[in-house]
């Protein structure tokens, strides 16, 4: 009997093949037009893929590919961007996605606003304990001038709805 020869191929080839087999976003199930490959929570871009020339065999690839996901742009932005300090953006997005009939672009808009607001809070070192009180977002509007702007107000109200929903869950 002939010993099975382990064929090795560059990792980049495996990744490119993987990309071609993905048709829908792993997270929201939307058909993919522009996809983002995410490995262990990190986005890997085209340039990075091109540089992955280490030789691997099918067994190694199989292990690696279990931690690989293909996401649409929308989901990749929300899942992989830098962690937020105050708002639980990921859970909030999931809530909007599952509990409301909002379009992707509207959800994205809310998420972007809260992200900006989160940065503002982090910049001015807003106390976390004050934020996590039930009236947190109200005091926020009083304490942080920028938070009172109407686009942030709307996003905060929506976030409040999410918090209430979560409390009653
Ligand atoms: Zn998606």
């Amino acid at each position: 009997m002939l010993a099975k020869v382990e064929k090795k191929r560059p990792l980049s080839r495996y990744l490119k093949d993987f990309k071609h087999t993905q048709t829908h976003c792993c997270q929201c199930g939307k058909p993919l037009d522009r996809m983002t490959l995410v490995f262990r929570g990190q986005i890997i871009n085209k340039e990075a893929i091109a540089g992955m020339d280490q030789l691997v065999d099918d067994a190694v690839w199989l292990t690696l590919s279990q931690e690989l996901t293909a996401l649409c742009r929308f989901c990749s932005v929300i899942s992989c961007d830098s962690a937020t300090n105050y708002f639980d953006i990921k859970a909030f997005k999931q809530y909007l996605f599952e509990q409301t009939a909002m379009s992707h672009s509207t959800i994205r808009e809310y998420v972007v606003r809260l992200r900006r607001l989160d940065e503002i809070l982090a910049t001015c070192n807003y106390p976390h304990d004050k934020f996590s009180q039930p009236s947190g977002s109200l005091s926020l509007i009083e304490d942080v001038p920028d938070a009172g702007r109407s686009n942030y107000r709307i996003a905060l109200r929506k976030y409040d709805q999410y918090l209430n929903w979560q409390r009653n869950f």
Side-chain angles (χ1 to χ4, degrees), residues 123-152:
T123 311
C124 68
N125 243 329
Y126 194 76
H128 275 87
D129 49 349
K130 198 165 182 188
F131 176 81
S132 50
Q133 280 162 20
S135 59
S137 46
L138 274 179
S139 4
L140 200 67
I141 291 173
E142 282 165 23
D143 297 346
V144 184
D146 274 343
R149 280 160 53 185
S150 67
N151 55 346
Y152 290 138

Side-chain angles (χ1 to χ4, degrees), residues 9 20 22 28 41 47 49 51 64 73 77 80 92 99 106 110-111 115 118 122 126 128 134 137 145 153 162 164:
R9 301 195 305 153
H20 289 300
Q22 304 300 305
C28 72
E47 291 73 36
I49 293 176
L64 290 176
R73 209 181 110 70
V77 164
C80 305
F92 176 60
Q99 306 295 325
T106 312
Y110 275 114
V111 167
R115 244 185 226 300
D118 201 276
Y126 194 76
H128 275 87
S137 46
R153 250 178 218 269
Y162 151 70
N164 280 325

Side-chain angles (χ1 to χ4, degrees), residues 21-63:
T21 61
Q22 304 300 305
T23 55
H24 291 78
C25 172
C26 295
Q27 217 166 82
C28 72
K30 222 179 87 174
L32 290 167
D33 47 350
R34 277 187 56 195
M35 96 171 58
T36 306
L37 283 188
V38 176
F39 182 67
R40 292 184 183 151
Q42 298 276 333
I43 291 176
I44 41 177
N45 60 24
K46 254 195 200 152
E47 291 73 36
I49 293 176
M52 293 179 175
D53 49 7
Q54 54 272 61
L55 297 175
V56 298
D57 59 25
D58 282 353
V60 172
W61 166 248
L62 200 69
T63 317

Side-chain angles (χ1 to χ4, degrees), residues 25-30 32 70-76 93 97 104:
C25 172
C26 295
Q27 217 166 82
C28 72
K30 222 179 87 174
L32 290 167
L71 299 181
C72 69
R73 209 181 110 70
F74 170 79
C75 290
S76 71
K93 176 216 117 183
F97 197 65
H104 265 184

Side-chain angles (χ1 to χ4, degrees), residues 2 34 38 55 63 66 81 92 95-96 101 147 158 166 169:
L2 284 168
R34 277 187 56 195
V38 176
L55 297 175
T63 317
Q66 280 161 8
D81 268 8
F92 176 60
Y95 159 78
L96 294 180
K158 198 47 87 181
Q166 195 200 40
F169 197 55

